[in-house]
C-alpha cells in the first residue's frame, strides 16, 4: 500500500494573480528607470575626483573607455531585449543561452546587486538630505536624525514602488531631471567663469597620464554605470517593449557617458590639481565661481534627490525578478502575485524595502557613518552586477550561435565585457585594499554561495522547477498565476 500523500487541492487551483500592468511605461519613463538606477548626479559628485588621483589629465578617457565597455554589455542585453520581454531582466535572458544554472546565478547576482545599490544609496540620500536640512537651519545631525531619515526615506521609497511603476518612474524622472539640471547649470556656469582657460589642451592629449592610470580609472568609471540596463525588467509594463527597452538601455548609457566626460572635463579645467584633494568638488566649484548663497542648498538637495531615485529604481527590479521567480517556483509562490489594485509585486517590496532600512540602521548603531556604509554596501552590490553582466555576455554568444543569428559583433562585445568585468574584479582585490574593503569580495562570494544552496535544494527535491527557470515571458505574466 502506497504511503505517498496526494498534493493539496489548492496546488491544482493556484491563487489568482492580478498580474503586472500592461504597456503603461513610455520611452522617457523607461529611460528614467535606467538613468535613476545609475544615479549620474551622485557619480559626478565623487567619481571624477577619485579617478583623477590616478589618471590625472586622462580622466576623461577613463570615462570614455568605461562608456565603451558598458555599451558592449548593453549591446549583449539588447540582443535579447529585441526578441524577449519579461520582468525577469538578465535572469530570463541568461536562461536563453546558459540554461537554468546560468540563469539562477545571474538572477541571484543581480538581486545582490540591486539590493546592495538600493541599500547603499539610501545612506547617500540620508547624508545629503541631512546636510540640506542643516543648511536650512534644522539641526539634522546625530544618530537619532540619521535613523529617523533612514526610516522616512526608506519607507517613502518602498511606498512609491508599491503604489505603481508609473508613479515610481515619474518620481525618479523628476528627481533626476532636477538633479542633473542643477549640476548642468553649475558646470556651464563654471566654464563661462573660466573664460579662455576653459579650453584645456592638457586633457585633450592626456598630458602626464599613463595607460595604467587611465585603465585603473576606467574601473571606477564602470562602477558608475551599474544598473544601466534596469529597464529590461519592465518587459510587461513597457509600451512596445521590443523597441523601447533596447533604446532606453543604449541611449541612457550613451547620454550618461557623455555627461560624465563633460563633468570630468569641467571639474579638472576649473579646479585643476585641487580636484585631487577636494572632498566635495561640486561645492568647491560653486564657491570658487561665486554662485549665489541659495545655490548651495539646491545643489545638496539635488544630489540627495539623485540618491533617493536610485533607491526606488533597483527596488523595482528586485520586485520584478523575484515575482518571476515566484511564478516559476524558485521562491515561494506567494511572491509570484501582485497587489490587486496597484498591480505591483508588493509582497517582495514589503520585504526588500524594510530589509534595506534595517541593514542601514544596524550599520548606524555600530558607529558607521552613512557615507562609509554607502561605499561598503555599494561595493558588495557592484560585484553582483559584474557577475550578471559577464554571464549575460557569455549567454549572448551561445544564444546567437544556436539561433543562427550573425554574431561577429556579439563576439567582440562579449569578449570586451567579460575580460573587463574580470579585470574590474581583480583590480578591486589586488593590491589588497584596506579593511573592510578587503573582505567585501569574500562576503559577496559567501552570499552568492548561500543563494546557490537554494538551487541545489530545488535540483534534488523539485527538478520540475529547475526546468521552468527563465521561461516566463511577458505573455504568461498576467491573469491566473
Amino acid at each position: 500500500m502506497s504511503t505517498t500523500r496526494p498534493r493539496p487541492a489548492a496546488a491544482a487551483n493556484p491563487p489568482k494573480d492580478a498580474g503586472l500592468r500592461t504597456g503603461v511605461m513610455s520611452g522617457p519613463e523607461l529611460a528614467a528607470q535606467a538613468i535613476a538606477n545609475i544615479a549620474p548626479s551622485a557619480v559626478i559628485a565623487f567619481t571624477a575626483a577619485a579617478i583623477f588621483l590616478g589618471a590625472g589629465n586622462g580622466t576623461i578617457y577613463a570615462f570614455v573607455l568605461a562608456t565603451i565597455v558598458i555599451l558592449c554589455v548593453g549591446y549583449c542585453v539588447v540582443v535579447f531585449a529585441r526578441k524577449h520581454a519579461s520582468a525577469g531582466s538578465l535572469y530570463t535572458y541568461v536562461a536563453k543561452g546558459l540554461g537554468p544554472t546560468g540563469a539562477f546565478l545571474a538572477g541571484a547576482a543581480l538581486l545582490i546587486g540591486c539590493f546592495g545599490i538600493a541599500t547603499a544609496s539610501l545612506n547617500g540620500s540620508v547624508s545629503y538630505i541631512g546636510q540640506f536640512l542643516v543648511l536650512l537651519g534644522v539641526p539634522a545631525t546625530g544618530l537619532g536624525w540619521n535613523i529617523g531619515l533612514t526610516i522616512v526615506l526608506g519607507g517613502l521609497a518602498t511606498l512609491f514602488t508599491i503604489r505603481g511603476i508609473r508613479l515610481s518612474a515619474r518620481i525618479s524622472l523628476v528627481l533626476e531631471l532636477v538633479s542633473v539640471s542643477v549640476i548642468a547649470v553649475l558646470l556651464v556656469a563654471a566654464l563661462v567663469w573660466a573664460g579662455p582657460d576653459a579650453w584645456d589642451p592638457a586633457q585633450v592629449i592626456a598630458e602626464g597620464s599613463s595607460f595604467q592610470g587611465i585603465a585603473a580609472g576606467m574601473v571606477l568609471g564602470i562602477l558608475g554605470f551599474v544598473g544601466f540596463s534596469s529597464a529590461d525588467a519592465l518587459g510587461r509594463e513597457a509600451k512596445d517593449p521590443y523597441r523601447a527597452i533596447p533604446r532606453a538601455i543604449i541611449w541612457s548609457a550613451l547620454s550618461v557617458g557623455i555627461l560624465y566626460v563633460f563633468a570630468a572635463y569641467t571639474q579638472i579645467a576649473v579646479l585643476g590639481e585641487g580636484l585631487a584633494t577636494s572632498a566635495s568638488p561640486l561645492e568647491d566649484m560653486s564657491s570658487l565661481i561665486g554662485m549665489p548663497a541659495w545655490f548651495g542648498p539646491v545643489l545638496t538637495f539635488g544630489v540627495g534627490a539623485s540618491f533617493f531615485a536610485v533607491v526606488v529604481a533597483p527596488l523595482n527590479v528586485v520586485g520584478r525578478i523575484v515575482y518571476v521567480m515566484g511564478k516559476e517556483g524558485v521562491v515561494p509562490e506567494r511572491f509570484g502575485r501582485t497587489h490587486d489594485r496597484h498591480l505591483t509585486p508588493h509582497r517582495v517590496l514589503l520585504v526588500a524595502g524594510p530589509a534595506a532600512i534595517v541593514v542601514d540602521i544596524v550599520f548606524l548603531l555600530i558607529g558607521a557613518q552613512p557615507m562609509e556604509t554607502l561605499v561598503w554596501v555599494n561595493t558588495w552590490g557592484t560585484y553582483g552586477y559584474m557577475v550578471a553582466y559577464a554571464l549575460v555576455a557569455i549567454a549572448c554568444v551561445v544564444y546567437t550561435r544556436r539561433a543562427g543569428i550573425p554574431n561577429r559583433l556579439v563576439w567582440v562585445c562579449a569578449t570586451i565585457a567579460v575580460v573587463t568585468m574580470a579585470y574590474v574584479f581583480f583590480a578591486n582585490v589586488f593590491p589588497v585594499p584596506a579593511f573592510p574593503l578587503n573582505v567585501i569580495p569574500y562576503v559577496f562570494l559567501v552570499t552568492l554561495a548561500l543563494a546557490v544552496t537554494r538551487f541545489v535544494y530545488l535540483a534534488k527535491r523539485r527538478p520540475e522547477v529547475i526546468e521552468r527557470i527563465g521561461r516566463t515571458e511577458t505573455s504568461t505574466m498576467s491573469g491566473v498565476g
Side-chain angles (χ1 to χ4, degrees):
M1 178 177 171
S2 174
T3 58
T4 303
R5 296 181 180 179
R7 287 183 176 270
N13 298 286
K16 290 184 177 181
D17 173 29
L20 299 166
R21 294 192 186 276
T22 307
V24 296
M25 295 288 288
S26 65
E29 289 168 333
L30 290 172
Q33 167 70 21
I35 292 174
N37 219 322
I38 299 172
S41 302
V43 173
I44 290 170
F46 299 103
T47 306
I51 293 176
F52 183 75
L53 290 172
N57 286 323
T59 297
I60 60 173
Y61 293 106
F63 275 117
V64 169
L65 289 176
T67 303
I68 291 172
V69 171
I70 288 300
L71 287 174
C72 287
V73 177
Y75 180 76
C76 293
V77 176
V78 162
V79 168
F80 290 108
R82 286 172 177 163
K83 295 182 178 296
H84 304 280
S86 173
S89 185
L90 306 186
Y91 164 76
T92 300
Y93 295 163
V94 171
K96 310 301 179 186
L98 301 182
T101 302
F104 185 91
L105 283 174
L110 191 57
L111 286 174
I112 291 172
C114 291
F115 179 75
I117 298 302
T119 304
S121 298
L122 179 56
N123 284 282
S125 185
V126 166
S127 180
Y128 272 87
I129 295 301
Q131 292 179 41
F132 171 71
L133 292 175
V134 169
L135 291 173
L136 294 183
V138 180
T141 58
L143 179 62
W145 270 98
N146 284 337
I147 291 177
L149 286 173
T150 299
I151 294 172
V152 170
L153 294 173
L156 285 174
T158 305
L159 175 64
F160 292 151
T161 56
I162 291 174
R163 287 298 300 271
I165 185 61
R166 295 194 76 184
L167 173 64
S168 61
R170 287 175 177 178
I171 288 172
S172 297
L173 177 60
V174 170
L175 292 179
E176 281 301 330
L177 283 176
V178 169
S179 182
V180 171
S181 297
V182 170
I183 291 177
V185 167
L186 174 61
L187 296 174
V188 172
L191 290 178
V192 172
W193 173 85
D197 291 336
W199 168 243
D200 189 2
Q203 291 194 65
V204 177
I205 63 173
E207 183 179 294
S209 300
S210 66
F211 177 77
Q212 182 179 2
I214 293 174
M218 177 195 67
V219 171
L220 293 175
I222 290 172
L223 303 185
F225 283 92
V226 293
F228 79 102
S229 67
S230 63
D232 60 12
L234 306 178
R236 174 156 185 81
E237 292 147 303
K239 297 176 182 177
D240 192 11
Y242 301 106
R243 288 196 300 174
I245 290 176
R247 288 175 181 174
I249 291 172
I250 296 298
W251 284 105
S252 62
L254 182 60
S255 60
V256 168
I258 293 171
L259 179 62
Y260 285 167
V261 171
F262 174 59
Y265 175 89
T266 304
Q267 290 179 68
I268 296 170
V270 174
L271 296 177
E273 293 296 327
L275 180 60
T277 57
S278 176
S280 301
L282 296 181
E283 295 176 14
D284 291 346
M285 189 185 302
S286 177
S287 299
L288 178 65
I289 69 176
M291 293 296 284
W294 55 262
F295 189 80
V298 171
L299 178 62
T300 302
F301 176 80
V303 177
S306 179
F307 273 119
F308 180 79
V310 82
V311 179
V312 174
L315 282 180
N316 279 327
V317 179
V318 168
R320 280 142 188 84
I321 294 174
V322 177
Y323 173 65
V324 172
M325 289 180 168
K327 286 285 190 183
E328 296 172 346
V330 178
V331 298
E333 180 275 336
R334 62 179 176 275
F335 292 118
R337 284 176 275 154
T338 59
H339 193 279
D340 290 340
R341 182 157 58 94
H342 301 310
L343 303 184
T344 53
H346 61 297
R347 289 181 172 86
V348 183
L349 298 169
L350 285 172
V351 173
I357 295 171
V358 169
V359 169
D360 286 349
I361 290 177
V362 168
F363 275 108
L364 287 171
L365 291 175
I366 64 176
Q369 294 300 310
M371 296 307 290
E372 290 179 322
T373 305
L374 182 148
V375 173
W376 302 337
V377 181
N378 193 61
T379 301
W380 174 74
T382 298
Y383 289 133
Y385 275 111
M386 289 192 297
V387 169
Y389 289 161
L391 286 171
V392 78
I394 297 170
C396 191
V397 172
V398 177
Y399 169 76
T400 52
R401 185 174 181 180
R402 287 177 181 169
I405 300 172
N407 68 345
R408 183 173 298 176
L409 183 56
V410 168
W411 265 101
V412 172
C413 289
T415 300
I416 292 173
V418 173
V419 170
T420 305
M421 292 305 123
Y423 173 72
V424 170
F425 187 88
F426 177 78
N428 277 272
V429 297
F430 186 83
V432 178
F435 179 84
L437 294 177
N438 61 326
V439 301
I440 291 177
Y442 305 102
V443 173
F444 165 73
L445 291 175
V446 169
T447 310
L448 190 61
L450 289 174
V452 169
T453 61
R454 174 66 178 176
F455 183 85
V456 173
Y457 167 81
L458 292 173
K460 290 182 176 180
R461 299 293 182 89
R462 300 186 63 192
E464 74 281 1
V465 170
I466 301 297
E467 293 298 317
R468 294 200 295 266
I469 287 180
R471 294 188 176 186
T472 305
E473 299 277 337
T474 290
S475 59
T476 64
M477 297 202 63
S478 63
V480 177

